[in-house]
Structures are given as structure tokens and as C-alpha cells.
Amino acid sequence: AQTVTQSQPEMSVQEAETVTLSCTYDTSESDYYLFWYKQPPSRQMILVIRQEAYKQQNATENRFSVNFQKAAKSFSLKISDSQLGDAAMYFCAYRSALDGANSKLTFGKGITLSVRP
Amino acid sequence: GAVVSQHPSWVICKSGTSVKIECRSLDFQATTMFWYRQFPKQSLMLMATSNEGSKATYEQGVEKDKFLINHASLTLSTLTVTSAHPEDSSFYICSARDRPVAAGELFFGEGSRLTVL
């Protein structure tokens, strides 16, 4: 079974600074997807960024980028120029490329990010 | 992106009553939907996978007679918490896949907060 580990429960960053959230995972599969989701106080889950395991290039979405190290099974999220609206709980998630439509997400425990003005 | 709507967003009920939560995909057909449970400041725990026209697949430890899931149409899945008790109080979230393949993106509903008195 796949596991996703987020070992830091909380982090804090100064507004406009950069912060990196860590995530490691364990799997025996070679084809899969990795995600970072944001859950603000509204509790709505928002997809931040997605990475396909077969792609060597790290995904980037505006201020958000990942450092995907497949051999090390590491998938960290970097938030640049942090904004107050980035304060939320962030979840790292894994999804197999197998199992077709029933392929389900495995979430890490999450990390609470606070942004200091 | 695609929209998934949950209703009600919050509900309070008396112990022993049953509560139904709806999950609708508003602008796409969802052959597969997922139901999660989330306790405060914790991760999402998958309860079951719901496929249109067939019985739901429950995760280990989830009582299928307690949490009834029906996916009668391509746009609607329902979760009924039967004979609810205070320990069932939680935040319930659904997600739906926009395409019937593993690469299909998952979209989340806003969540439903259940409080059982």
C-alpha cells in the first residue's frame, strides 16, 4: 500500500518570503500522480499543483513549484512571495495511475501554514 | 474547472435520526465519486468509492450499514448516516472524477458539517 508522509505539522513564513513544505511517499509503482492540495478555513479543497511521475520536469503554477525527486520519493512544495491568502492547511497526496476511474487519493496528514504580516 | 456541490453545508440532528448528504457534479458526468470524513485539523479519510449504478466499495473499518451510499445517476451521489450518534459528528467531503480514467481530475465539494446532539 502507498503511504504519504508529511512530518512537519506546522510552519510559519513571513509575508513575501519563500517557504518549502516537505512530503515523502512510498510506493512500488512506477506510474502515478502526486498532488498538493490547499484547504483554507472555508474547508474547500483546492488543487494547488499536480505532477505526473513520468515527467522529469518539475511542475510550476505561478508562485507554486515542486521539487520532485522520484528516486528519493520526495515531493516538496515551494511557495514564493508568500501572501496572507496562502495561510491554510496543505495536503500532499498520491494517486496511482492504475485502477482506472477508481484510482483514489492517499493523503498525508497535512501541514498548517501560517503567514505573518 | 468543474464544479461539485454538496448539500447541506451543515446540519444538526438529534441522536438516532438519519441524515442524508448530497453530492452533485454540476457541469460534468461523474461515473465515480468518493466520500471522505475529516476530523478537525486532521487529514481526509476515504470512506468509500461510489460508482454509478453499482454498490459502493467501502474502506476497511467503515460500516456500510451505517453509512449508506447511493450513486443513482451520473451527477448525484448521496451519503446517508443512519441512526446518527455524537461520534458521527464530523466534516464529510465528496469528490468526483471528471473522466472515467485514472488521469481524470478530481474535484471536491464544499463539504458538509454534521453535528449530532
Side-chain angles (χ1 to χ4, degrees):
Chain A
Q2 295 83 22
T3 59
V4 178
T5 302
Q6 294 178 255
S7 56
Q8 305 156 301
E10 296 178 350
M11 284 195 77
S12 180
V13 63
Q14 189 75 36
E15 192 176 8
E17 297 294 309
T18 296
V19 65
T20 298
L21 310 183
S22 301
C23 173
T24 59
Y25 60 95
D26 190 25
T27 183
S28 58
E29 298 175 342
S30 59
D31 197 10
Y32 48 87
Y33 306 93
L34 295 167
F35 305 85
W36 278 97
Y37 284 92
K38 171 185 178 180
Q39 188 180 41
S42 67
R43 306 290 290 271
Q44 173 73 57
M45 294 289 284
I46 301 167
L47 176 64
V48 175
I49 203 164
R50 161 185 170 143
Q51 174 82 42
E52 287 87 351
Y54 64 86
K55 290 186 177 179
Q56 292 187 343
Q57 186 173 8
N58 289 326
T60 299
E61 287 288 341
N62 300 313
R63 297 184 295 108
F64 299 87
S65 61
V66 297
N67 184 2
F68 173 47
Q69 300 290 328
K70 191 172 183 179
K73 296 179 181 174
S74 171
F75 183 61
S76 60
L77 174 70
K78 185 171 80 171
I79 306 174
S80 303
D81 186 24
S82 297
Q83 300 175 1
L84 295 178
D86 294 333
M89 200 160 184
Y90 286 81
F91 294 97
C92 179
Y94 171 104
R95 194 171 93 217
S96 171
L98 306 176
D99 299 330
N102 287 346
S103 179
K104 53 193 178 185
L105 283 169
T106 299
F107 288 95
K109 288 187 175 181
I111 179 171
T112 300
L113 177 67
S114 58
V115 181
R116 305 186 302 274
Chain B
V3 178
V4 174
S5 178
Q6 272 185 251
H7 178 80
S9 56
W10 59 270
V11 57
I12 301 173
C13 70
K14 292 183 179 180
S15 186
T17 61
S18 294
V19 174
K20 180 184 285 187
I21 300 170
E22 294 185 345
C23 178
R24 293 182 184 273
S25 56
L26 298 185
D27 49 3
F28 66 98
Q29 293 184 330
T31 55
T32 305
M33 290 184 173
F34 301 87
W35 286 95
Y36 303 84
R37 184 174 182 176
Q38 186 183 29
F39 292 105
K41 295 196 179 295
Q42 293 189 23
S43 189
L44 281 72
M45 292 174 41
L46 181 65
M47 299 174 67
T49 302
S50 166
N51 286 296
E52 186 266 337
S54 61
K55 291 184 179 180
T57 301
Y58 291 82
E59 295 298 303
Q60 192 171 10
V62 177
E63 300 175 60
K64 59 182 179 182
D65 295 330
K66 174 74 169 176
F67 300 99
L68 300 179
I69 293 172
N70 183 280
H71 193 160
S73 79
L74 287 172
T75 60
L76 174 65
S77 177
T78 60
L79 167 67
T80 301
V81 183
T82 62
S83 185
H85 291 283
E87 58 266 28
D88 298 324
S89 298
S90 190
F91 193 68
Y92 294 89
I93 306 174
C94 73
S95 69
R97 176 158 280 135
D98 66 348
R99 288 177 291 151
V101 291
E105 199 53 73
L106 282 173
F107 295 91
F108 287 83
E110 315 96 312
S112 300
R113 181 180 302 282
L114 170 63
T115 300
V116 184
L117 303 176

